[in-house]
Amino acid sequence: MDRGGGMLSAGLTTFIFAVLNSLGYGLLLFLLSSGLTVVFGLLGVLNVAHASFYMLGAYLAYELVQRTGSFWLALIVAPLVLTVLGIICERYMLRRVHALGHWHQLLLTMGLGYVLLEGVKWIWGTESHPMVVPEILTGSINIGGGAYPIYRIFMSVSALVTLGVLAAVLFKTKLGMVVRAAVSNKDMVNALGYNVGYVFTGVFALGAFLAGVAGVIAAPMLSVYPGMAADIGVDIFIVVVVGGLGSLKGALIASLLLGIFQSFGILIVPDFAIFFSFLLMAVVLTLKPMGLYGERAA
Amino acid sequence: MKARATLFKIGLLIVFGAVLVLAPTVVPLSYLYTVTDVVILALFAVSFNLLFGFAGLLSFGHAAYFGVGAYGCALLLSLYPSLPVMAAIGAGALAAAVIGGLIGLICVRRTGPYFAMLTMAFGMLVYLVAWKWRGITGGDDGFGSFVPATIWLPIVGSFKSGDLKLTYLGVLAVIVPVMAAVWATLAFTPYGNAVRSIRLNEERAAFLGFNVFAVKALNYTIACAVAGLAGALYAIAHDFISPQVAGLEMSNDVVMMTFIGGSQSFFGPIVGAIFFVIAGDQLSAVTERWQMIMGVIFIAMVMYVPGGFIGGVAKLFSRRPPSVSSSPRVTQWA
């Protein structure tokens, strides 16, 4: 190996890679937890099936790539399918049990997650499927003397772009204003003549869409397997507990924190990195029982 | 009217008890495993419903304590083979009570979805410990053959382990008094009233002078201890355990069986466990996709029969018009 001029020490390279990895995983978590937390803020529903939507997105992408060979097609179609699924779930299932209260909505999404899990096992089997990456995203680039996979960078960038568009819509358009207003007081928005029902459906569908996007872009890196929903599900639950349920800002900070804990945890104690998420949760809950930004949440 | 209903219930209980005791003489030996699972999971579901139906707290990680009980009992027996089996079972329940009590101190501070997420995260934590701590737990492979050659269980006395009939009856002899004790505590003691009042209106209960936090924490600890007992009995009955006993799927199963049976009645979870295990067993003989069917049944029940099986039947027989309440309120425990 050439220990030439522009090369950084191995330790620093490892550090930079860990930072990039934390960012990548943190942004993936935020793609998921943002949908979860906004849906909770607006509908008061904790969507336990959220991670299952992500899993379904990954499986759909896998199937589409197998059949058409186009990753880009999968990146468009799979999230759209999930959007439709989200609309159906909200309008025809969650809304039906709304009058029965929180528990039934929670239980309904739990059952939905269960059925989706059994469904993917049925269709695609229990084994793990590797997913091919389009040619342009294979290979790696040289960062500080180490080879960093291009796909991981693509993952972070596409998550950033998606979230950027979302933020622009949410904070710069009238539609976004109505949604934000509905989160803080839905009855008032309803009285002002907006159809809050449509806002509910739209936001739930948007959450499903984001979960689909996350599933597609995560699939080539994490591969596609039935346990993927439970694996990331616990992490996004920890994110929203740490950040405060209903808070976007909290979800962002907690996602990035969790990404850092995971990526650096793997460097320090490879076998037990997974416990770092729990450590973070225990520390935050001891200091701030409502989560970082959870004051508003009941 | 009330007296007749009570008589009917007592009669039903006697018949049910007779079925349980006579089961090993009627049921083919190969099926006795399943029947043993039914009674163990019924106890597990009852412990879950201490939180869900009784205290209004939905836990997504209750299998963790089932797992702690199972591992506690199995590890003790493999370390000290001369230990009486009942002592190991008790220690398993105690371990679940201690660990559950500590976790409960964090979880019961929150309600609703927060409680659900916290219990799920801690449940995952326990599962991961069982899975990753290979040196002690055997990791993913699990471990077995820890039950000594001769064991003693109440009523049936000493017998050679592996005897399905006596194992079943011994397990039953442990479970029935525990269930009766739990039921009596809920139905007749001030403690039962305290938990109930907190569920109905936490603020008002606090104003009445109840220490809400202490009652909730105690209730969580009891629920964990009973789950641990069920787990320990499971370990004895199967003589094999793996991290699955503490896993999310197990936690999901107990939510489903409790809801399907009816969470608003003490006996609902028992009915649910019977249905879940037996229907699951029958369905799995017909199709590999029985869990899918179970999931669809569960979703359909959540949407159309929100009171579960017992709630649905009670509604059919009730002469009052169905009330239009926004949440299930009144709980009959007797």
Side-chain angles (χ1 to χ4, degrees):
Chain A
M1 220 169 121
D2 174 24
R3 294 211 154 269
M7 192 146 204
L8 300 169
S9 74
L12 193 55
T13 309
T14 314
F15 178 77
I16 293 173
F17 279 18
V19 170
L20 288 173
N21 285 344
S22 344
L23 197 64
Y25 190 61
L27 286 170
L28 182 71
L29 284 179
F30 186 56
L31 265 187
L32 285 162
S33 54
S34 57
L36 190 67
T37 208
V38 170
V39 165
F40 181 81
L42 186 63
L43 284 76
V45 178
L46 175 68
N47 181 11
V48 184
H50 199 66
S52 309
F53 288 171
Y54 152 89
M55 175 187 66
L56 189 60
Y59 270 100
L60 287 174
Y62 165 77
E63 189 65 31
L64 283 163
V65 170
Q66 290 294 101
R67 283 174 190 272
T68 66
S70 170
F71 175 79
W72 307 108
L73 183 74
L75 189 55
I76 296 167
V77 173
L80 288 180
V81 174
L82 277 148
T83 309
V84 175
L85 181 69
I87 293 172
I88 294 170
C89 285
E90 205 282 323
R91 284 208 90 83
Y92 300 104
M93 299 175 79
L94 283 172
R95 196 164 292 189
R96 273 198 73 98
V97 300
H98 182 76
L100 298 169
H102 269 359
W103 290 141
H104 285 79
Q105 293 182 320
L106 206 59
L107 290 170
L108 187 63
T109 60
M110 186 203 113
L112 196 65
Y114 189 87
V115 167
L116 285 178
L117 177 62
E118 291 304 319
V120 301
K121 280 190 200 162
W122 187 357
I123 300 172
W124 288 285
T126 49
E127 67 274 27
S128 157
H129 301 284
M131 189 163 134
V132 246
V133 178
E135 190 109 11
I136 194 171
L137 298 175
T138 52
S140 46
I141 55 168
N142 187 326
I143 297 177
Y148 195 76
I150 292 177
Y151 189 80
R152 280 175 179 259
I153 293 173
F154 163 77
M155 209 177 102
S156 300
V157 170
S158 43
L160 270 180
V161 169
T162 313
L163 294 168
V165 171
L166 180 69
V169 172
L170 202 53
F171 295 104
K172 297 290 175 200
T173 66
K174 190 165 176 213
L175 178 69
M177 198 174 71
V178 173
V179 171
R180 280 183 295 138
V183 170
S184 62
N185 191 340
K186 46 186 165 267
D187 294 333
M188 182 57 84
V189 173
N190 203 17
L192 288 172
Y194 292 97
N195 188 334
V196 177
Y198 285 138
V199 178
F200 277 26
T201 311
V203 166
F204 194 86
L206 178 70
F209 173 84
L210 290 176
V213 172
V216 179
I217 63 174
M221 203 184 79
L222 303 173
S223 83
V224 182
Y225 59 102
M228 65 190 299
D231 283 353
I232 210 157
V234 170
D235 275 357
I236 59 174
F237 276 10
I238 291 177
V239 163
V240 291
V241 167
V242 167
L245 200 44
S247 160
L248 261 181
K249 205 205 293 180
L252 177 62
I253 290 171
S255 298
L256 294 176
L257 268 179
L258 208 63
I260 293 170
F261 268 62
Q262 291 267 314
S263 302
F264 284 89
I266 282 179
L267 291 180
I268 302 163
V269 275
D271 270 351
F272 298 95
I274 201 156
F275 291 105
F276 276 70
S277 322
F278 295 101
L279 190 67
L280 176 69
M281 183 178 77
V283 170
V284 168
L285 284 180
T286 314
L287 300 176
K288 296 201 79 171
M290 300 302 285
L292 294 173
Y293 291 93
E295 267 83 19
R296 281 187 310 128
Chain B
M1 212 33 106
K2 192 141 191 289
R4 235 176 73 185
T6 312
L7 267 180
F8 177 68
K9 273 180 194 160
I10 290 173
L12 213 59
L13 268 183
I14 291 171
V15 172
F16 185 57
V19 168
L20 281 179
V21 174
L22 293 176
T25 47
V26 182
V27 166
L29 206 58
S30 59
Y31 205 71
L32 213 50
Y33 254 130
T34 313
V35 180
T36 311
D37 274 356
V38 168
V39 288
I40 291 172
L41 289 177
L43 182 68
F44 181 40
V46 165
S47 81
F48 169 79
N49 208 35
L50 283 180
L51 299 172
F52 181 49
F54 195 59
L57 293 168
L58 172 54
S59 165
F60 277 144
H62 203 52
Y65 313 107
F66 188 82
V68 168
Y71 272 97
C73 173
L75 287 172
L76 265 181
L77 282 177
S78 62
L79 288 175
Y80 308 100
S82 57
L83 199 72
V85 168
M86 276 312 290
I89 292 173
L94 188 67
V98 171
I99 293 178
L102 290 174
I103 292 177
L105 289 181
I106 299 177
C107 294
V108 300
R109 285 175 193 279
R110 312 303 300 272
T111 54
Y114 269 101
F115 180 84
M117 287 191 293
L118 283 173
T119 49
M120 185 190 200
F122 280 113
M124 195 71 176
L125 179 63
V126 170
Y127 169 77
L128 285 172
V129 169
W131 183 46
K132 291 265 182 184
W133 202 359
R134 292 198 74 88
I136 301 286
T137 63
D140 216 11
D141 305 329
F143 75 110
S145 311
F146 41 79
V147 177
T150 315
I151 60 179
W152 183 93
L153 287 174
I155 307 255
V156 290
S158 287
F159 62 95
K160 263 179 69 182
S161 64
D163 185 321
L164 291 181
K165 265 186 199 177
L166 293 178
T167 309
Y168 165 77
L169 287 173
V171 165
L172 198 62
V174 177
I175 285 179
V176 170
V178 171
M179 278 222 198
V182 170
W183 176 76
T185 310
L186 297 189
F188 301 121
T189 65
Y191 166 76
N193 287 336
V195 181
R196 205 179 348 245
S197 71
I198 288 169
R199 173 184 123 95
L200 291 173
N201 190 333
E202 191 168 327
E203 253 173 33
R204 197 177 289 180
F207 273 115
L208 285 173
F210 287 120
N211 184 341
V212 170
F213 176 70
V215 172
K216 282 169 129 182
L218 181 61
N219 187 50
Y220 194 85
T221 310
I222 294 174
C224 292
V226 177
L229 177 67
L233 291 170
Y234 182 90
I236 297 295
H238 285 248
D239 200 9
F240 174 80
I241 49 170
S242 71
Q244 259 71 44
V245 294
L248 285 182
E249 204 164 314
M250 194 76 174
S251 291
N252 269 351
D253 284 353
V254 77
V255 176
M256 285 168 56
M257 59 181 92
T258 303
F259 187 87
I260 289 175
S263 62
Q264 296 308 301
S265 150
F266 182 83
F267 297 99
I270 300 174
V271 173
I274 296 170
F275 169 79
F276 197 86
V277 178
I278 293 188
D281 191 71
Q282 297 294 319
L283 280 172
S284 66
V286 184
T287 163
E288 263 178 72
R289 294 299 139 208
W290 67 275
Q291 281 165 306
M292 184 91 179
I293 298 172
M294 214 54 111
V296 172
I297 292 176
F298 174 69
I299 291 183
M301 300 255 323
V302 172
M303 290 179 71
Y304 300 103
V305 197
F309 180 77
I310 289 207
V313 170
K315 210 170 177 181
L316 277 183
F317 284 97
S318 129
R319 294 184 191 162
R320 277 171 299 150
S323 63
V324 198
S325 72
S326 62
S327 63
R329 270 175 213 285
V330 188
T331 313
Q332 274 110 29
W333 286 99

